[in-house]
Amino acid sequence: MSGFGRQGDDYILSPEEIEQFHRDGYVTLRGVLSEEELAAIEPEFERFIRGEVAGMGRDFCDMSGPYGRKFEDFALVNAVLPRRYRPEIRDNLFERRAASISRQLIGETATLDYDQFLAKRPAKPDAVFTWHQDLGYWPTGTPEPLTATCSLALDDADSENGCLRVVPGSHRKGLRPHRPLMGEDREKSHILSVELTADDPVVELPLRRGDITVHDEMIIHGSGGNSSPDRWRRTYIAAFRTKACVDFERAIGFTHSHNDTINWETHLGALTAAD
């Protein structure tokens, strides 16, 4: 044995993989879950993607379109915080292995911040995830904002069905201005986007089923639509941040839910003024 890879509930990274994450803002890990292990988590994933979980409000939406789009017209099916709506999925094997990976990348206090199910339907070229930095969606005044976002491929992912694309090293160049994609605010849609420049190198990250990518909170990333006539691109996300960061988010009422009503930007401003 090499000493790296799957080991029970853990997935052990090599020094080179840890170095790449911090240098480039992302790393690709192969075979994080086996075929048998994937099959055990798919039924609950599919319940969400079929729209069978009630009471989610805006946490179930099309991540490439407006909130008002009918489910049958969704291109990029998005279910945020599934473990809130189906507690039965908590502490599954992917969560445990993602936690192990995150502790190695961002420290021993790595805490699950949010989870998310995404699925690009076949023959949906508009199932585009616009270029963005995750921190553009989140409070920027949090302590220790380091993030390890683990994205598990439930299907082979490539350029045809819209695999992840990143701008390596962009995490070291600061937070770019983000704008709502539809309208002047995010009342119509959750989507934010940034502009790329001619100097931004774009790298595609094709995956096999069971592989994951891990990226940090500042890397610019996105993905194209699904032009495959019959292949889905399904992704299970578990994002970890430091405990101090998660505790601060919850203290100001920020949970990553699209149903949150707190204006956390204003709230943060008030906190800063009071300090």
Side-chain angles (χ1 to χ4, degrees), residues 45-110:
F45 185 100
E46 288 298 313
R47 289 192 64 179
F48 282 89
I49 299 308
R50 291 194 299 263
E52 296 174 355
V53 179
M56 295 185 69
R58 288 184 168 186
D59 284 343
F60 185 71
C61 64
D62 185 338
M63 199 60 191
S64 64
Y67 281 126
R69 182 174 286 179
K70 295 180 180 179
F71 172 61
E72 55 267 28
D73 296 326
F74 281 16
L76 205 177
V77 184
N78 177 43
V80 184
L81 305 179
R83 68 199 309 273
R84 171 185 293 183
Y85 298 99
R86 293 283 295 170
E88 298 88 337
I89 70 175
R90 296 180 182 180
D91 196 39
N92 63 57
L93 184 57
F94 173 55
E95 278 193 8
R96 298 197 296 274
R97 288 210 179 123
S100 167
I101 290 164
S102 299
R103 287 192 296 269
Q104 295 168 71
L105 292 174
I106 66 172
E108 286 298 319
T109 71

Side-chain angles (χ1 to χ4, degrees), residues 25 37 45 49 61 65 94 97 114 116 160 163 170 175 184 197 215 240 249 260:
E37 292 164 348
F45 185 100
I49 299 308
C61 64
F94 173 55
R97 288 210 179 123
Y114 73 93
Q116 184 175 18
E160 183 184 47
C163 67
S170 55
L175 185 64
E184 297 180 356
T197 72
H215 68 265
F240 290 77
E249 285 180 329
D260 284 346

